[in-house]
Amino acid sequence: MCLIDFDASRYSWFVDDIAVAAFFSGLTEGADSDLDRFLIPFLEGYRLEHHLEEKWLREIPYFMKLREMGRYIKLFHACGGVFDKLHPWGQWYMKGRREKILQGDLPL
């Protein structure tokens, strides 16, 4: 069972909803997780309710990258750039994150 928290919902493209869920599933399962293990069954269920064209599914990595950058900005401002002020998860997330974002690799 996988619980998904939609407390940060906002108006955006449908594919953004999928990317947010995929992004956070990768963070909770660990850095070496296989996103397909989450994404394939998630998309099977999603398709029961809504159809997305293939071109939108190819955009998922870009929306995941957008979420990664947004989370970085939020945590950076929350601690004023002093990562030791963050809770342990925030410290873990921020470690090397700037470099990872600047490197430009997409998550999928």
Side-chain angles (χ1 to χ4, degrees), residues 2 5 11 14 20 27-28 39 43 45-46 48-49 54 59 61 64 66-67 71 84 91-92 96 98 104-105 108:
C2 179
D5 182 2
Y11 185 77
F14 288 123
V20 168
L27 289 179
T28 57
L39 204 50
L43 287 174
Y46 194 91
L48 294 174
E49 295 297 322
E54 186 66 31
E59 298 296 321
M64 290 177 69
L66 179 64
R67 176 54 58 146
R71 182 62 39 184
D84 290 340
Q91 291 178 22
W92 169 83
R98 179 180 182 274
D105 292 338
L108 295 175

Side-chain angles (χ1 to χ4, degrees), residues 36-47:
D36 286 343
R37 199 172 82 220
F38 168 81
L39 204 50
I40 290 172
F42 182 89
L43 287 174
E44 288 173 1
Y46 194 91
R47 287 180 177 127

